[in-house]
Amino acid sequence: MRGIAVGTTAEREELLAAAVVEAVEGTSAYAGSVFLRSRDRRSIVLAATCGVPPSLLGGWRLIPVSSPIPVATAYSSGRTVHLADAEETMRRYPQLAVALPYAFGSCSVPVGAGGETFGSLAIIWAASPGGAGLSKAQRRHVRTIANRLGASLAALRARIGDPVECAPETTPVENPAPSAPAVRVGLFDWDLISGMISVDDEFCTIFDLDPRTFDGQAKTLHASLHPGDLAAFRFGAGEAASGSRTTSRRLRIRDHRYGGDGYRTVELWGRVPEADDAEPRTHLVGAIVDARAGSTALAAVERLRDGLFSLAPDGRVTYANHSALQLLDVSDDELLGRILWDVLPWLSDPDVESRHRSAMIAQAPASFLACPSPDRWLAFSLHPEADGVTGRVVPLGQPPSASTPSASSASSTESPTAATPTRLGVMHHVLQLGSALTEAVTTREVCEVVSDQLLPAFGGQQLAIYVVRNKTMHLLFHTGHHEDFLDWLEGAPLHARLPGTEALTSGAPLFIESRQDLSQNYPDIPTGEVRSWVYLPLIASSHPVGICVLGFDTTHQFTERDRGVLTALAGLIGQALERAQLYDSEFAIARGLQQALLPHRLPAIPGIRTVARYLPGTSGMDIGGDWYDVIPTTNGVSLIIGDVQGHSIAAAATMAQLRSAVRSFTAVGHAPGEVMAGVNRTLIDLDSGLLASCCCIHLEPRTHHAQAVTAGHPPPLLRRPDGTTDVLDLDVGPLLGVERASAYPGTRIALPPGSVLALYTDGLVEEPGADIDVGIDRLRASLAHARSDSLDELAGRLLHNARRSSYRADDIALLLTETAYGSGQQGSGGTSEGPCADRPHDSARGPGDDPRSVTFGESDT
């Protein structure tokens, strides 16, 4: 990694390797991995594995942090994600289950320290349906390992440099799964003068000695040697001492498993350390090698007529017996070290690779049939362990019936090149982006999804999306640190000879791997700081929508896989962008209509201040029925807030009629209870089939009192000058539109000078799965503790949580009123301003606020 010393990288790799191996060995898992965050914090990068090689992980070497993948969820949430079996994986993470439809369980935990998350650690195990997965103790063990790794990385960063950020091109540390050794090696150091020999435990095991009681005498070993080999044993030592530096001898050692009557052959390798000619050579160091298990097994396998072969976890052939080579019609030079389905064209079927992956990930046997030639069929079976797969291939006497469901043919009558294996990464990226785009509604959301998915997946640093308007290119979205990226494309006509316009008009993606390639084909185009480019035409409904451009700060080679995946994704992006543009257009019309129905200005009332806020819901483009109003009267002012049931044009139209009815009944001097009764009759006469809630409070500034009436509406809040804040306990009347004869009793409330009255709709306090009273009390606490330097600022603070939410199922209306002065004091009055969309620097708006909210400024004296 750039910026980190080699020693730091090596130490980090040791920490990662130790952690992932310990996590795998300490649980029932057979594989594990560690991911660390990227420099731009947009993705997590595969940094270490145990058991499963990176090639088997396919598209999961670089994962956007927003991906619905367990390791990404563990990183972004800081929580353990435990999936006991395939059924739970499908239920909670369907994208992962579709891309890896195998029976396995997993546990992902965050890696970090001091409240900072560096990455995540994950382990997987073979899981049968209904399995319980890891025990609580095992999950705590994995979490402890991750926490210890996080603390070690933090300490390493404090001491040397930052070891927790990974570049996309980082090569992960690979730790093969443990396996039984075919060769055993024991080490020794023999003092030829004293006859003493120092050995390790493996040496003692080979000689069948107890390392705790071995006296270190070379002559003690004589009892374990075949009598005929004693002379060779002594001669080897003498030969080494006389000047030869390396010696090799085959020896027969007594095998006590056969009652002391049998022997097995081992090899003794020794070397005399370097010494001056004048110094005697007194030591022989070396090893005793016992390869009996491996050689015996190899001999047995070669005698079989069935074809047997061994695959590494990534599918590469590590061994094939003579029968397998004959059945497959290849030589060992052609086969060994290569992937089985890449060598044999008639196995180049997606199903073969999938069967191997299924065997490795589910740790369950798999089988399939293949037809190398029209008149010959072979049956394959795969038997996995964590360290690889043992395969068996046998000829099939009769060709399988086409109706046999278990006969999965891996061949076809087409040419060998006609079948191209489906790679996991292709499926992952298509599924991931496609799923994310289904949830993106606006053009901004579509652009952000594309940025979040494409840049981490392909290692890019710049992304720009241009759309076509009036046959010219216009920038819609850009992210990256080069602000002038593609400035020359802005306003370019479609017929211009430019990379973006030509890719769009031709419909073919353009991949430019170097500045030389760009200059050769487009000599007048400025390159800036970017070294490689991808131009993806966005086509939908057979017409050009725009162009998506990826930029790379370093020269980037685009593989065939990269080109295929990006070409496929361009179609998804184009369709999503076209849909989002239509939504934005219709949304603008709907919101414009709704804003037209709401008050554009609040009247200036002597003795009080008022401010209103409106936030549309984000669940769709249908407009709602929330409304508010401030109506001056001869003896005070009436504050109105209401909510018509549903989200539709009908709801908005009903809201407009009810608002007019409220104003009419109030204007002729009716009391609040009479106003509500008249509006109720109006709604029933409209026969809209809709219900509505409403709250009407008539303030009398000179008396510091008010009369409040509510028709099934959430209760108002009152903050007094001393800061105490209450939910007003009002007599509640029925919803509007239920019964024509409904009565609406009033409640008299005291309003000391300096009090703040809050009226709101239920969208501000309702949360899915929670009681509305909890939301009301949370709003009451916010009102009680919020600073009140200005009513405008207070409104912004009360809406802060709602504004920050990415999803609002309902509209929100808020009306705040402050009795600003004492009895009889008059003010100059004032009028509010229009929608905040025309006031982008409104003081009440904070980062992340919805720019489509309707904001009214203060009306004060």
Side-chain angles (χ1 to χ4, degrees):
M1 285 179 60
R2 295 176 293 178
I4 298 180
V6 175
T8 308
T9 302
E11 190 169 352
R12 182 189 72 173
E13 290 177 348
E14 291 176 4
L15 292 173
L16 298 176
V20 70
V21 170
E22 183 181 2
V24 169
E25 293 182 348
T27 61
S28 57
Y30 64 82
S33 55
V34 176
F35 290 80
L36 295 179
R37 69 192 186 198
S38 62
R39 294 191 188 98
D40 58 10
R41 310 294 178 88
R42 288 177 172 173
S43 57
I44 52 176
V45 183
L46 182 63
T49 66
C50 177
V52 174
S55 59
L56 203 63
L57 296 174
W60 278 274
R61 287 192 62 169
L62 189 68
I63 302 177
V65 296
S66 59
S67 297
I69 302 295
V71 288
T73 302
Y75 169 77
S76 58
S77 69
R79 298 192 301 268
T80 298
V81 180
H82 178 253
L83 304 172
D85 56 14
E87 182 178 348
E88 185 175 6
T89 302
M90 174 61 78
R91 185 174 65 254
R92 296 176 56 187
Y93 293 90
Q95 292 182 11
L96 176 64
V98 170
L100 288 174
Y102 313 120
F104 68 94
S106 66
C107 181
S108 303
V109 298
V111 173
E116 183 181 7
T117 305
F118 304 145
S120 55
L121 182 151
I123 57 173
I124 60 175
W125 60 87
S128 56
L134 298 186
S135 65
K136 290 184 178 180
Q138 287 175 317
R139 278 178 266 172
R140 283 195 300 268
H141 176 65
V142 176
R143 189 72 182 244
T144 299
I145 294 171
N147 291 339
R148 191 164 60 242
L149 173 61
S152 299
L153 291 174
L156 184 61
R157 177 174 63 178
R159 179 166 50 87
I160 300 176
D162 193 347
V164 301
E165 295 183 344
C166 262
E169 64 272 13
T170 298
T171 301
V173 181
E174 296 187 48
N175 299 275
S179 59
V183 177
R184 306 176 69 179
V185 179
L187 305 178
F188 66 87
D189 184 346
W190 189 355
D191 188 331
L192 301 175
I193 303 301
S194 66
M196 298 299 293
I197 183 169
S198 300
V199 299
D200 64 1
D201 290 350
E202 194 68 19
F203 187 100
C204 291
T205 301
I206 293 173
F207 273 85
D208 200 18
L209 299 172
D210 187 344
R212 295 170 296 179
T213 60
F214 177 53
D215 58 9
Q217 295 286 337
K219 61 183 179 181
T220 306
L221 302 176
H222 294 174
S224 297
L225 294 174
H226 189 282
D229 290 342
L230 284 174
F233 184 64
R234 297 191 188 99
F235 178 76
E239 183 181 42
S242 65
S244 298
R245 294 182 178 177
T246 303
T247 184
S248 174
R249 288 286 185 274
R250 285 196 173 188
L251 304 174
R252 287 168 291 179
I253 297 179
R254 192 179 302 278
D255 195 332
H256 293 277
R257 291 177 298 178
Y258 301 106
D261 296 330
Y263 291 88
R264 66 182 187 274
T265 301
V266 299
E267 291 192 16
L268 177 71
W269 290 81
R271 183 177 185 276
V272 176
E274 295 287 345
D276 295 338
D277 293 338
E279 296 180 4
R281 294 176 173 84
T282 60
H283 280 263
L284 178 67
V285 296
I288 190 81
V289 181
D290 180 6
R292 179 187 59 85
S295 59
T296 303
L298 181 61
V301 168
E302 288 295 341
R303 296 187 194 105
L304 292 176
R305 293 189 177 182
D306 290 350
L308 293 181
F309 56 90
S310 177
L311 304 179
D314 62 359
R316 297 184 183 277
V317 181
T318 57
Y319 169 76
N321 69 353
H322 181 68
S323 297
L325 295 174
Q326 283 189 319
L327 288 170
L328 301 178
D329 194 23
V330 292
S331 66
D332 55 357
D333 291 338
E334 295 174 294
L335 191 61
L336 296 183
R338 300 182 61 190
I339 294 180
L340 183 65
W341 42 90
D342 286 348
V343 177
L344 304 172
W346 45 275
L347 284 182
S348 183
D349 185 281
D351 184 62
V352 174
E353 183 179 1
S354 178
R355 296 301 175 97
H356 169 259
R357 183 173 286 111
S358 172
M360 281 299 303
I361 295 178
Q363 288 291 288
S367 61
F368 59 90
L369 302 179
C371 180
S373 60
D375 59 346
R376 194 163 65 96
W377 285 82
L378 298 176
F380 288 79
S381 57
L382 306 177
H383 303 271
E385 285 292 340
D387 60 335
V389 172
T390 295
R392 176 175 176 264
V393 54
V394 295
L396 201 63
Q398 296 292 330
S401 169
S403 61
T404 304
S406 60
S408 176
S409 171
S411 70
S412 72
T413 57
E414 300 176 5
S415 62
T417 58
T420 302
T422 301
R423 300 302 182 190
L424 180 60
V426 177
M427 182 183 297
H428 163 67
H429 291 305
V430 172
L431 287 173
Q432 179 64 37
L433 182 62
S435 176
L437 287 175
T438 60
E439 301 176 4
V441 177
T442 67
T443 54
R444 179 74 183 183
E445 291 172 351
V446 168
C447 293
E448 289 176 347
V449 164
V450 172
S451 172
D452 291 343
Q453 297 297 324
L454 289 194
L455 289 181
F458 295 92
Q461 290 75 43
Q462 313 292 320
L463 185 139
I465 295 179
Y466 282 78
V467 294
V468 179
R469 295 182 191 140
N470 299 322
K471 297 184 178 181
T472 57
M473 307 298 295
H474 297 276
L475 179 64
L476 177 67
F477 177 86
H478 169 255
T479 184
H481 51 273
H482 301 319
E483 295 183 0
D484 58 349
F485 178 59
L486 299 179
D487 278 354
W488 46 267
L489 191 55
E490 178 68 27
L494 283 181
H495 59 76
R497 190 181 182 279
L498 299 171
T501 55
E502 288 194 344
L504 183 56
T505 53
S506 68
L510 181 61
F511 299 89
I512 303 176
E513 297 185 340
S514 68
R515 291 180 176 179
Q516 291 77 12
D517 292 344
L518 180 66
S519 299
Q520 181 178 353
N521 294 284
Y522 304 95
D524 298 327
I525 300 299
T527 61
E529 301 296 325
V530 181
R531 302 296 183 95
S532 297
W533 300 260
V534 177
Y535 291 85
L536 298 176
L538 307 180
I539 309 294
S541 303
S542 301
H543 73 272
V545 175
I547 192 85
C548 177
V549 189
L550 277 70
F552 300 80
D553 288 352
T554 58
T555 301
H556 192 88
Q557 301 293 323
F558 301 104
T559 65
E560 289 300 320
R561 172 188 172 278
D562 291 339
R563 295 168 185 254
V565 174
L566 286 168
T567 301
L569 296 181
L572 294 177
I573 299 169
Q575 294 173 16
L577 190 58
E578 182 189 46
R579 183 185 67 245
Q581 287 178 320
L582 178 61
Y583 174 91
D584 284 351
S585 176
E586 295 183 357
F587 187 93
I589 295 174
R591 290 307 180 205
L593 173 61
Q594 187 165 42
Q595 291 181 17
L597 298 176
L598 292 172
H600 283 201
R601 293 180 181 273
L602 298 182
I605 309 295
I608 68 170
R609 296 188 180 100
T610 57
V611 66
R613 293 287 188 275
Y614 175 81
L615 289 179
T618 59
S619 61
M621 73 173 63
D622 288 336
I623 58 179
D626 292 21
W627 94 92
Y628 53 83
D629 214 340
V630 177
I631 308 172
T633 66
T634 56
N635 62 339
V637 60
S638 289
L639 309 175
I640 312 295
I641 196 160
D643 185 2
V644 177
Q645 170 193 20
H647 289 78
S648 63
I649 295 295
T654 301
M655 174 266 284
Q657 291 171 304
L658 294 186
R659 181 184 169 218
S660 296
V662 170
R663 295 187 70 87
S664 298
F665 287 118
T666 302
V668 297
H670 286 309
E674 296 171 337
V675 170
M676 204 66 67
V679 173
N680 176 58
R681 293 191 297 271
T682 300
L683 179 57
I684 292 176
D685 290 342
L686 290 174
D687 196 22
S688 64
L690 299 176
L691 301 178
S693 68
C694 186
C695 181
C696 174
I697 300 181
H698 184 259
L699 274 65
E700 300 172 0
R702 295 182 181 276
T703 66
H704 310 307
H705 282 80
Q707 186 79 7
V709 173
T710 179
H713 200 81
L717 306 178
L718 176 64
R719 186 173 80 176
R720 297 176 178 83
D722 61 0
T724 58
T725 305
D726 295 321
V727 179
L728 293 181
D729 185 14
L730 306 180
D731 292 330
V732 180
L735 288 169
L736 303 176
V738 175
E739 178 63 43
R740 188 178 187 83
S742 296
Y744 297 90
T747 304
R748 188 168 177 80
I749 56 178
L751 296 175
S755 298
V756 175
L757 192 63
L759 284 73
Y760 54 92
T761 55
D762 54 10
L764 184 59
V765 292
E766 277 189 330
E767 292 184 8
D771 194 291
I772 191 173
D773 290 338
V774 175
I776 293 173
D777 189 64
R778 186 180 297 115
L779 180 63
R780 181 201 61 78
S782 297
L783 178 61
H785 295 98
R787 293 177 56 187
S788 57
D789 296 341
S790 73
L791 206 59
D792 194 69
E793 180 181 349
L794 180 59
R797 290 183 180 274
L798 294 181
L799 290 179
H800 179 66
N801 291 336
R803 288 175 185 267
R804 293 184 61 186
S805 174
S806 61
Y807 175 82
R808 290 190 301 276
D810 201 358
D811 297 356
I812 295 173
L814 173 67
L815 177 62
L816 297 182
T817 303
E818 181 181 17
T819 55
Y821 300 101
S823 175
Q825 184 165 351
Q826 299 296 315
S828 61
T831 57
S832 67
E833 299 186 23
C836 74
D838 297 328
R839 301 168 53 210
H841 303 292
D842 187 277
S843 62
R845 292 181 62 208
D849 288 355
D850 191 332
R852 297 167 298 186
S853 63
V854 179
T855 304
F856 292 91
E858 294 185 4
S859 170
D860 66 35
T861 58

